[in-house]
């Protein structure tokens, strides 16, 4: 009756299975960096994909890993964008990387403060509070026009070369390399984070907050922590937008941006980090194609996509990734089984 | 001062008629319907077409707007919404935002993106003076119509068989089902009625709120404020919340125009964090 | 014997209804104590008060003589007051291995460790494996908790609590809903709990209570009614009257 014992080594391998690099991941990033040389003509849209992917990754951290629905994630994106644009315009911090970090920190600070508002309440109240925060920021940016340029946006921003060497160009060559590098580094950090004991505790909080506190986890503190980190990511994504376009406008705070972001994440699937990146690729190319046909009616297609995705079922939509995931799991499993068989 | 109060009341009552359907959807099925404003917009455009293009009398166009929106609501409920009730809140949000976007683009395509106005009969335009208070005739009309509707609603809920079944279903859907009440049917009818009211509100409000394809997006937050601040356990809560919101918004824009909607949003956040169940709802043990 | 956990005149009212009435309960080190009482006697309320889910209207809770009445749930867990749930409260998408790993890493205060990959501390994994072996869960360590047989889930429920290394363990009907043939495995696990852990067992099944407890507290209408050894309680005429009364009502 007693099940067989299990080797500590085997258990360790099972535990760290989620964190193991899969060949497809390496292919993905290799392709992303290869695009620097392969598709120079597409660098502008690739740059947009990079910051959008980072933005969606940020939403995945709170939605996919901690279960917080947000309709106002653009608040942090916009805050980061304006911070970066203002730093450059008033020549406070001229070096883009440093300015990027500071913008991220500013968004983190905002995220930390507002995180306390989303701790309590149902999905609906969270949704409204996040939406409310974004709206308040938009109103503020609109009203303090002397600082933000108001409805016209912040113009006359010039961005200095990255690290004092790489100058931004109008074809997005520097912009793409810069954005992709930032995305890659932050992705590595996020990947590390979600596969850590802290990441595991987030999943537990999402799955069952009652039990989480019954094993000694301070649920509130964990939510505050991840919300703050995600806000920082969103801020950096916004700062990338501001730096690569040398512009920031009220539109960065808009509801549409938060709603589009949900679509981006949902297309790719939440809760495994790549969803936001894949979603960003599909979304941007779809937008590129459809808005060329009818720019005005682009929202219609977004709406249709959302409705269809929900009616068909999100699981089924993202199931196109399942064969890949299953195959990966099976390969892993075989390797593990073989190794533990050798040991016993 | 009193004029502002008067305008605020008119605005608030309009908001109530627009949003009360949403309160029932939320309370009855725990369903987050962000697309409620799309039904209101439908009513508004129906009136615009009827009055401006076909020359239908304004007052006659109102019940038609109600029926049109109710019909659209009923069709959508039976064909699309029913599939989404049991899904997660995230799915509901995605689905209804999708509907909003589609309706915005579709109306833009059919009616154009500009703001449209209803030609209100001249008898209803202008102001008159009563006891030193400047009273807009059209706003008075709104107050009268919305007031009558509110009384009628209260009556239906409190004294009719349908009302008592609805209340039972809102209080506890499972028990209501056990008692042999057809909750799905009640919901379809209520949804259609709520959409109809929204359509009527949209028709009445086209003149003072302004009507353009982005209407559902612009007023979504207002409708949500009404139901979350007012709570969904009765219609008195949303009614009071609508009045407060209406008066607050009008007064705020008059006295501190530079603040814009900032005050409303901030108050909303404070209220939601302070009392997540709503300002006027009984604290439930659930 | 030293008293580990003690309540002093705990009162809890809900809108005027008294759910806990002046409860003064003592749990000694290494105790095998049972808390019984008819339905609605206030057992759940008492557990919620002890674990910090709700706050008492008046009275206090002491752990080793220190007042912990105002501490939050997770802080009490860190101090060693751990509970299991009558209805499984598990992480349905995590595996037993991950669940226990999480509980152990949290207990060690490594829960905010965000730069270290899960499973990279050999001593931690060794402890996790030891717990999984003790609770006969090694054959399902890599399965999603949601798909485990019910009996295994009940075992995991207790194993998670043990992974928190409790000083006082509150077991809420550990065998509830378990099919007869898997029952003995749960009861064996309960019987094999470390002897230095004080256990308060909340249970309806009198066979389990009398085979397990060396001390029984009877709760009726929110108040402590009778306390004593199993023999004393079994022969107490008042207890019989209460349970007989309930049976009459049930019938």
């Amino acid at each position: 009756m007693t099940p067989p014992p299990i080797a500590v080594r085997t258990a360790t391998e099972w535990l760290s299975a989620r964190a193991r690099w899969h060949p497809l991941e390496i292919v993905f990033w290799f392709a992303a960096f290869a695009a620097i040389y392969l598709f120079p003509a597409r660098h502008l849209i690739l740059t947009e994909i990079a910051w959008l992917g980072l933005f969606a990754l940020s939403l995945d951290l709170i939605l996919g890993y901690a279960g917080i629905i947000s309709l106002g994630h653009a608040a942090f994106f916009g805050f980061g964008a304006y911070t970066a644009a203002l730093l450059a315009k008033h020549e406070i911090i001229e070096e883009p990387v440093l300015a990027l970090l500071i913008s991220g920190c500013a968004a983190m600070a905002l995220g930390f403060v507002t995180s306390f508002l989303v701790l309590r309440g149902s999905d609906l109240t969270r949704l409204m509070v996040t939406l409310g925060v974004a709206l308040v920021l938009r109103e503020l940016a609109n009203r303090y026009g002397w600082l933000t340029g108001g409805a016209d946006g912040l113009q006359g921003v010039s961005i200095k070369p990255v690290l004092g060497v790489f100058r931004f160009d109008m074809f997005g060559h520097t912009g793409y390399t810069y954005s992709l590098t930032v995305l890659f580094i932050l992705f590595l950090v996020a990947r590390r984070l979600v596969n850590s004991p802290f990441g595991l505790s987030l999943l537990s909080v999402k799955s069952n907050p009652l039990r989480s506190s019954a094993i000694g986890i301070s649920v509130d503190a964990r939510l505050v922590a991840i919300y703050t980190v995600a806000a920082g990511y969103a801020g950096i994504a916004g700062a990338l937008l501001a730096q690569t376009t040398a512009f920031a406008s009220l539109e960065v705070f808009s509801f549409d941006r938060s709603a589009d972001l949900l679509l981006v994440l949902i297309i790719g699937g939440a809760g495994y980090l790549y969803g936001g990146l894949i979603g960003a690729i599909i979304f941007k190319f779809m937008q590129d194609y459809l808005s060329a046909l009818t720019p005005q009616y682009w929202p219609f297609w977004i709406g249709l996509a959302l409705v269809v995705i929900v009616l068909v079922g999100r699981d089924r939509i993202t199931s196109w990734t399942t064969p890949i995931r299953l195959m990966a799991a099976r390969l892993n499993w075989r390797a593990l089984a073989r190794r533990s068989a050798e040991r016993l | 001062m009193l004029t502002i109060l008067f305008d605020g009341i008119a605005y608030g009552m309009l908001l109530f008629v627009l949003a009360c359907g949403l309160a029932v959807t939320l309370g009855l099925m725990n369903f987050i319907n962000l697309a409620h404003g799309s039904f209101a917009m439908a009513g508004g455009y129906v009136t615009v077409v009827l009055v401006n293009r076909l020359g239908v009398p304004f007052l006659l166009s109102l019940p038609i707007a109600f029926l049109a929106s109710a019909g659209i609501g009923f069709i959508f409920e039976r064909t699309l919404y029913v599939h989404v009730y049991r899904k997660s809140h995230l799915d509901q949000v995605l689905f209804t935002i999708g509907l909003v976007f589609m309706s915005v683009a579709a109306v833009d395509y059919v009616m154009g993106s500009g703001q449209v106005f209803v030609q209100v009969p001249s008898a209803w335009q202008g102001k008159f003076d009563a006891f030193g208070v400047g009273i807009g005739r059209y706003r008075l009309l709104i107050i009268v119509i919305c007031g009558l509707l509110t009384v009628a609603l209260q009556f239906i809920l409190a004294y009719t068989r349908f009302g008592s079944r609805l209340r039972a279903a809102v209080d506890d859907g499972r028990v209501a089902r056990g008692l042999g009440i057809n909750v799905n049917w009640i919901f379809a009818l209520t949804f259609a009625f709520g959409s109809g009211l929204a359509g009527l509100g949209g028709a009445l409000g086209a003149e003072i709120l302004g009507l353009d394809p982005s209407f559902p997006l612009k007023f979504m937050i207002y409708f949500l404020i009404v139901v979350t601040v007012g709570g969904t356990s009765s219609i008195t809560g949303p009614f009071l919340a609508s009045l407060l919101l209406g008066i607050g918004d009008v007064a705020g824009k008059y006295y501190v125009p530079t603040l814009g909607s900032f005050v409303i949003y901030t108050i909303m956040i404070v209220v939601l964090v302070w009392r997540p169940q709503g300002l006027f709802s009984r604290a439930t043990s659930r | 014997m030293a008293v580990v956990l003690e309540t002093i005149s705990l009162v809890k009212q809900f809108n005027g209804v008294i759910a806990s009435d002046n409860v003064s309960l003592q749990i000694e080190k290494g105790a095998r104590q049972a808390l019984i009482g008819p339905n609605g006697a206030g057992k759940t309320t008492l557990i919620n008060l002890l674990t910090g889910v709700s706050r008492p209207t008046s009275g206090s809770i002491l752990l080793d003589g220190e007042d912990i009445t105002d501490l939050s749930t997770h802080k009490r867990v860190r101090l060693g007051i751990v509970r299991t749930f009558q209805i499984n409260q598990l992480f349905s998408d995590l595996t037993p291995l991950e669940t226990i790993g999480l509980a152990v890493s949290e207990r060690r205060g490594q829960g905010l460790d965000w730069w270290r990959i899960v499973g990279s501390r050999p001593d931690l994994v060794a402890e996790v494996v030891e717990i999984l072996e003790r609770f006969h869960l090694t054959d399902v360590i890599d399965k999603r908790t949601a798909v485990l047989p019910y009996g295994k889930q009940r075992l995991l429920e207790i194993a998670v609590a043990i992974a928190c290394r409790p000083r006082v363990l509150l077991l809420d009907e550990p065998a509830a809903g378990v099919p007869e043939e898997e029952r003995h495995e749960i009861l064996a696990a309960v019987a094999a709990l470390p002897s230095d852990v004080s256990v308060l067992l909340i249970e309806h099944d009198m066979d389990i209570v009398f085979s397990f407890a060396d001390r029984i507290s009877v709760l009726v209408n929110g108040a402590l009614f009778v306390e004593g050894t199993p023999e004393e309680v079994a022969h107490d005429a008042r207890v019989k009257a209460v349970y007989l009364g309930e049976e009459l009502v049930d019938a």
Side-chain angles (χ1 to χ4, degrees):
Chain A
M1 278 307 280
T2 310
I6 197 146
V8 172
R9 281 276 297 280
T10 316
T12 305
E13 277 166 20
W14 281 117
L15 270 176
S16 52
R18 280 181 204 250
R20 202 163 298 130
W21 278 88
H22 189 271
L24 282 176
E25 293 183 79
I26 296 164
V27 171
F28 179 90
W29 288 107
F30 184 78
F33 278 99
I36 296 175
Y37 303 101
L38 293 181
F39 306 111
R42 303 293 262 166
H43 278 175
L44 283 175
I45 191 172
L46 287 173
T47 307
E48 289 183 23
I49 291 176
W51 60 251
L52 183 62
L54 180 60
F55 190 22
L57 174 66
S58 152
L59 182 67
D60 199 9
L61 286 177
I62 60 166
L63 182 63
Y65 286 88
I68 302 174
I69 299 185
S70 168
L71 259 188
H73 212 50
F76 310 115
F77 182 86
F79 199 64
Y82 269 104
T83 310
L86 287 170
L87 287 177
K89 184 180 161 85
H90 299 288
E91 299 172 356
I92 303 165
I93 307 276
E94 304 211 282
E95 202 290 305
V97 177
L98 190 59
L100 193 73
L101 284 176
I102 291 175
S103 307
C105 290
M108 273 178 98
L110 181 70
F112 177 75
V113 174
T114 53
S115 68
F116 295 93
L117 304 175
V118 297
L119 290 180
R120 301 265 166 273
S122 61
D123 285 341
L124 180 63
T125 47
R126 278 177 170 176
L127 195 127
M128 293 199 46
V129 168
T130 49
L131 178 60
V133 169
L135 286 169
V136 164
L137 284 178
R138 189 178 188 284
E139 287 291 326
L140 285 176
N142 190 20
R143 193 151 54 90
Y144 293 101
W146 56 267
L147 182 68
T148 62
D152 298 330
L154 195 64
Q155 285 159 347
V157 178
S158 72
I159 307 289
K160 292 278 171 340
V162 178
L163 302 172
V165 182
F166 307 103
R167 195 169 293 280
F168 283 102
D169 55 278
M170 62 179 292
F171 307 104
H173 302 321
T174 310
Y176 179 56
T177 313
Y178 173 57
S179 305
L180 182 64
T181 310
V182 171
L183 171 66
F184 184 58
I185 293 170
L186 288 176
F187 174 83
L188 289 182
V189 173
R191 197 178 184 286
R192 193 86 194 195
L193 183 141
V194 299
N195 290 312
S196 70
F198 174 70
L200 198 56
S201 75
L202 290 178
L203 286 178
S204 81
V205 167
K206 178 191 174 194
S207 156
N208 192 336
L210 177 66
R211 186 60 188 236
S212 299
S213 65
I215 60 173
I217 295 175
S218 168
V219 172
D220 288 0
R222 297 293 152 94
L223 291 180
V224 167
I226 193 62
Y227 200 75
T228 306
V229 171
Y233 270 53
I236 289 180
L240 280 179
L241 167 70
Q243 291 183 338
T244 53
T245 58
F247 184 63
S249 72
L250 290 181
E251 188 268 341
V252 290
F253 289 117
S254 74
F255 170 77
D256 299 40
R257 188 175 286 281
S258 300
D260 288 357
L261 186 69
L262 275 171
L263 175 64
V264 168
L265 182 58
I266 295 313
I267 298 175
Y272 73 109
L273 293 187
Y274 281 95
L277 308 187
I278 295 170
I281 297 171
I282 298 176
F283 182 88
K284 272 293 169 192
F285 279 115
M286 219 165 76
Q287 188 183 35
D288 198 37
Y289 175 71
L290 287 173
S291 355
L293 296 178
T294 50
Q296 215 175 339
Y297 309 121
W298 161 239
F300 182 84
W301 302 110
I302 295 187
L304 187 65
L306 283 169
V307 168
V308 169
I309 285 177
V310 173
L311 287 179
V312 176
R314 274 188 287 133
D315 308 340
R316 257 180 270 172
I317 291 285
T318 48
S319 66
W320 60 273
T321 57
T322 355
I324 306 173
R325 286 198 239 179
L326 269 183
M327 193 184 71
R330 206 168 296 140
L331 287 175
N332 263 339
W333 185 81
R334 266 198 212 136
L336 284 173
R338 200 168 49 237
R339 259 178 277 172
S340 42
E342 284 162 9
R343 212 166 293 123
L344 290 176
Chain B
M1 226 296 274
L2 283 172
T3 310
I4 290 167
L5 188 67
F6 178 77
D7 285 0
I9 290 174
Y11 185 29
M13 292 186 94
L14 192 57
L15 279 177
F16 172 72
V17 170
L18 279 165
C20 64
L22 188 60
V24 181
T25 334
L26 191 66
L28 188 54
M29 293 298 266
N30 190 21
F31 183 82
I32 302 177
N33 183 15
L34 299 181
H36 189 71
S38 297
F39 298 103
M41 176 170 69
Y45 274 100
V46 164
T47 303
V48 167
V49 171
L50 286 176
V51 174
N52 294 8
R53 295 199 192 157
L54 304 176
V56 176
F58 178 68
L59 283 182
L60 179 63
S61 76
L62 294 180
I64 302 178
F66 173 88
L67 289 175
S69 293
I72 298 172
F74 185 78
I75 293 168
F76 270 78
E77 204 277 335
R78 287 287 94 187
T79 54
L80 293 178
Y81 278 77
V82 277
H83 302 293
V84 190
Y85 291 146
R86 291 218 183 82
K87 301 206 176 200
S88 68
H89 279 157
L90 176 61
D91 278 320
Q92 297 172 0
V93 167
L94 295 170
F95 173 76
T96 52
I97 289 182
L99 287 184
V100 170
F101 280 170
M102 285 174 77
S103 69
V104 166
V107 168
D108 189 341
Y109 179 73
V110 179
M111 303 293 297
S113 60
Q115 196 164 29
V116 292
F117 297 93
V118 181
Q119 288 158 7
V120 176
S122 53
W124 293 109
Q125 289 169 1
K127 286 191 170 191
F128 66 89
D129 209 71
F131 312 110
V133 184
I135 292 190
R137 288 199 175 85
Y138 188 68
R139 289 188 162 74
L140 184 65
L141 176 74
I142 287 178
I143 292 185
V144 170
I145 294 179
C146 295
L148 287 175
L149 277 174
T150 310
V151 173
L153 267 183
Q154 187 67 47
F155 177 81
I156 292 172
L157 282 179
Y159 297 110
T160 63
R161 197 178 156 79
F162 183 80
S164 58
R165 291 183 166 200
L166 178 62
R167 275 181 292 127
V170 171
D171 273 350
D172 197 326
R174 263 186 315 171
V175 172
R177 278 198 182 85
L179 291 171
I181 297 175
N182 189 338
V183 174
N184 292 347
W185 190 238
I186 288 198
F187 190 60
L189 284 181
T190 318
F191 191 96
F193 194 72
S195 305
L197 283 179
L200 180 61
L204 273 176
E207 185 62 21
I208 59 173
L209 302 178
L211 186 64
D212 64 51
S214 66
F215 183 89
L217 282 171
K218 265 196 273 180
F219 287 93
M220 181 171 81
I221 187 84
Y222 280 78
F223 302 154
L224 289 173
I225 290 175
V226 168
V227 293
T228 44
V229 171
T232 55
S233 52
S234 68
I235 65 160
T236 332
F239 183 68
L240 292 176
S242 305
L243 284 184
L244 274 183
L245 181 62
I247 296 169
D249 203 37
V250 170
K253 280 181 178 147
Y254 183 78
Y255 289 113
V256 275
T258 49
L259 283 176
S261 308
F262 177 78
V263 182
I264 297 290
Y265 300 145
T266 314
I267 291 174
M268 172 196 87
I269 293 174
V270 171
V271 167
L272 286 180
V273 170
W274 172 48
R275 291 206 55 176
Q277 266 93 34
L279 210 50
F280 306 109
S281 73
R282 301 156 284 158
T284 47
S285 51
R286 271 184 288 177
Chain C
M1 275 287 212
V3 172
V4 183
L5 186 66
E6 182 176 15
T7 72
I8 299 170
S9 309
L10 272 192
V11 175
K12 177 68 185 178
Q13 295 189 358
F14 293 107
N15 302 325
V17 179
I18 296 174
S20 285
D21 185 4
N22 214 18
V23 177
S24 295
L25 186 75
Q26 295 191 329
I27 300 172
E28 293 179 344
K29 189 166 164 44
R32 290 290 179 270
Q33 194 160 337
L35 182 68
I36 64 171
N39 286 324
K43 298 184 297 263
T44 310
T45 306
L46 189 57
I47 290 210
N48 285 343
L49 291 175
L50 288 176
T51 53
V53 172
S54 55
R55 296 276 182 277
T57 312
S58 66
S60 50
I61 304 166
L62 308 181
L63 181 71
D64 293 328
E66 302 262 337
D67 193 326
I68 58 163
T69 317
D70 293 324
L71 288 188
S72 58
T73 302
H74 68 271
K75 286 191 180 137
R76 294 187 201 199
V77 174
R78 292 288 169 82
L79 293 175
I81 304 179
V82 184
R83 70 172 293 189
T84 68
F85 292 84
Q86 184 187 342
I87 298 163
N88 284 336
Q89 296 287 345
L90 296 166
F91 308 121
S92 49
D93 286 330
L94 300 189
T95 64
L97 185 62
E98 288 170 326
T99 306
I100 302 296
L102 177 69
V104 173
S105 87
E106 291 296 335
R107 192 201 74 226
R108 293 179 168 206
Q110 292 157 357
L112 283 170
D113 215 347
W114 64 276
W115 191 247
R116 192 179 269 278
I117 295 295
V118 174
S120 61
R121 293 177 191 269
D123 53 330
L124 188 147
V125 180
E127 186 184 337
V128 172
V129 167
E130 187 272 318
I131 292 173
L132 288 167
E133 280 174 357
R134 197 183 337 153
F135 286 89
H136 298 182
L137 289 164
T138 44
D139 53 340
V140 292
I141 56 165
D142 59 318
K143 300 264 192 309
R144 277 179 67 229
T145 299
V147 302
L148 297 186
Y150 192 72
K152 291 285 183 190
Q153 293 195 18
R154 289 312 281 169
L155 281 173
L156 181 58
E157 184 74 41
I158 304 173
V160 179
I162 286 300
C164 301
R165 219 171 263 177
R167 302 183 57 220
V168 179
L169 179 60
L170 310 173
L171 284 176
D172 196 351
E173 301 197 29
V178 179
E180 199 56 51
E181 59 274 17
E182 292 171 49
R183 224 174 153 80
H184 69 276
E185 204 169 12
I186 311 279
L187 298 182
V190 170
L193 290 172
S195 60
D196 58 333
V197 176
S198 315
V199 182
L200 182 67
L201 173 76
I202 295 90
E203 189 51 78
H204 268 299
D205 187 325
M206 287 307 143
D207 293 340
I208 300 179
V209 170
F210 282 95
S211 66
F212 171 82
D214 48 27
R215 189 168 177 82
I216 297 176
S217 307
V218 186
L219 208 58
V220 176
N221 291 333
L224 269 187
F225 189 58
V226 172
E227 258 191 323
T229 63
E231 292 78 44
E232 288 167 4
V233 170
H235 295 109
D236 192 297
R238 292 170 297 175
V239 175
K240 274 186 192 162
V242 167
Y243 272 89
L244 218 55
E246 194 193 28
E247 274 161 29
L248 284 177
V249 171
D250 282 353

